Amino acid sequence: MRATTIHAPFDLRVEDVPDPVVQDPTDAVVRVLRACVCGSDLWAYRGESARRPGQRIGHEFLGIVEAAGADVTTFRAGDLVVAPFVWSDGTCDYCAEGLQTSCPRGGFWGTPGSDGGQGEAVRVPFADGTLVRLPADAASDDHLLTALLALSDVLGTGHHAALGAGVREGSTVAVVGDGAVGLCGVLAARRLGAERIIALGRHTARTDIARAFGATDVVAERGEAAEAAVRELTGGQGAHAVIEAVGTEQSMRTAVGIVRDGGSIGYVGVPHGSGTGLDLSVMFDRNIALRGGVAPVRAYIPELLPDVLDGSVDPSPVFDLTVGLEGVPDGYRAMDERTALKVLVKP
């Protein structure tokens, strides 16, 4: 089959690799119908996170089950499924608690020895614990398939950030980051009943999506100017809940600067950089809570799926460029140059 591999910074290739097969009785093989490029993939692309030459890449996909092992009881060939970005066995204590990202037998797509989502097919370990079945008729609905793909990562990650930030009915929420996750954080905040949602971002195409998703205000400034603007919008107090969806020292400093005393920050931006942006004495004095991390999206898919199916939540606008599998390197380049927000891949 054809799959995307990474060999060095800025050196992505789509090449022939062995077809995936059922290796363990709990495996399934999924033929990919939709995949995409994640902002976190760019750290490997830029050489800021290490990869072995020839390693697979991509962690968001949905598709059709082609084969299932003898111990797979939930799925059969022909089922339409979505895969969260981490596989998990579904039986351990962490899985039972809804923290599948800590499953001792779990793993991330694209790690050495595993398939990546940006290919024609994927071997899925622990299929019963990992995959979620989708309605069969969704396979013929292009728009719905695109929206459902967001369940594999960005929609659930935005939801995780909103929960970590303590978004509740009637609250004021600020979202730091105008990437796909930040925009899905806006969607999640609206879904959870936030009364006011302040989106921080400077790119009009992205902030237009934020407004469509439910943002009531947009702040284009950065740093101290952004903090001042949010304070002005909130009568000097700041936001009850802040979603941090970038992962830099500056973005976390901004989050701390705009959160209300007694408020919470939900952080899901993959950390990168030398500092944290956190001063514990400031957080202590102002009673600021911090909660977040790697989103256990497998736990959230059953809750979010009905809203995507009925159209009340539609994350599809975050995909603003579509490529075939052979065009994946061009898709990375577009995201790296910020001419695309999130690239949809149709193998």
Side-chain angles (χ1 to χ4, degrees):
M1 71 168 186
R2 302 286 283 172
T4 307
T5 57
I6 184 166
H7 293 262
F10 306 103
D11 183 5
L12 282 179
R13 307 174 193 175
V14 180
E15 47 193 5
D16 292 329
V17 300
D19 291 338
V21 296
V22 170
Q23 296 179 10
D24 298 312
T26 53
D27 288 350
V29 174
V30 174
R31 174 170 53 86
V32 177
L33 294 182
R34 296 289 185 278
C36 53
V37 180
C38 182
S40 64
D41 291 331
L42 296 179
W43 303 121
Y45 180 68
R46 294 166 179 159
E48 296 182 42
S49 59
R51 293 292 189 274
R52 295 181 187 175
Q55 189 173 329
R56 309 288 179 81
I57 197 166
H59 56 260
E60 301 158 282
F61 65 94
L62 60 75
I64 301 290
V65 174
E66 294 276 284
D71 290 348
V72 176
T73 60
T74 310
F75 305 98
R76 60 184 181 181
D79 285 342
L80 179 67
V81 294
V82 63
F85 64 83
V86 170
W87 72 78
S88 53
D89 63 19
T91 61
C92 73
D93 289 344
Y94 286 114
C95 287
E97 294 165 5
L99 194 64
Q100 291 88 343
T101 49
S102 290
C103 177
R105 296 198 288 176
F108 290 79
W109 311 113
T111 50
S114 71
D115 293 317
Q118 293 160 14
E120 290 184 317
V122 175
R123 180 180 74 88
V124 178
F126 305 111
D128 283 334
T130 300
L131 299 172
V132 177
R133 182 183 288 105
L134 302 173
D137 56 2
S140 60
D141 186 330
D142 186 71
H143 181 88
L144 180 57
L145 270 186
T146 300
L148 291 168
L149 177 62
L151 291 167
S152 66
D153 185 346
V154 290
L155 184 59
T157 297
H159 180 68
H160 186 59
L163 293 180
V167 176
R168 62 187 186 278
E169 195 82 28
S171 58
T172 295
V173 181
V175 180
V176 181
D178 59 4
V181 171
L183 293 172
C184 285
V186 173
L187 268 182
R190 185 194 69 185
R191 180 179 176 275
L192 292 171
E195 180 176 324
R196 191 172 194 182
I197 304 171
I198 304 168
L200 280 69
R202 298 193 299 173
H203 301 85
T204 303
R206 299 182 180 203
T207 55
D208 285 349
I209 295 174
R211 289 188 185 277
F213 280 2
T216 55
D217 304 272
V218 169
V219 168
E221 292 85 358
R222 284 189 175 182
E224 293 182 358
E227 295 176 26
V230 173
R231 292 279 172 183
E232 184 177 356
L233 287 170
T234 57
Q237 292 187 340
H240 299 103
V242 175
I243 291 172
E244 191 284 313
V246 182
T248 63
E249 181 175 352
Q250 180 59 63
S251 64
M252 187 60 80
R253 288 190 187 281
T254 298
V256 173
I258 64 178
V259 69
R260 185 180 187 272
D261 287 16
S264 301
I265 299 169
Y267 71 103
V268 292
V270 178
H272 50 278
S274 59
T276 64
L278 294 174
D279 184 332
L280 289 181
S281 64
V282 170
M283 299 183 70
F284 181 87
D285 290 345
R286 296 178 53 212
N287 279 280
I288 297 171
L290 179 69
R291 186 174 179 84
V294 184
V297 299
R298 177 60 182 81
Y300 302 139
I301 293 174
E303 175 185 352
L304 298 172
L305 176 59
D307 289 352
V308 177
L309 290 174
D310 69 18
S312 59
V313 172
D314 180 11
S316 64
V318 302
F319 300 99
D320 61 343
L321 177 64
T322 301
V323 298
L325 187 56
E326 303 298 327
V328 167
D330 292 333
Y332 272 79
R333 192 174 304 111
M335 285 183 62
D336 183 50
E337 295 172 353
R338 297 184 72 85
T339 58
L341 167 60
K342 189 168 182 65
V343 174
L344 178 69
V345 181
K346 293 184 176 181

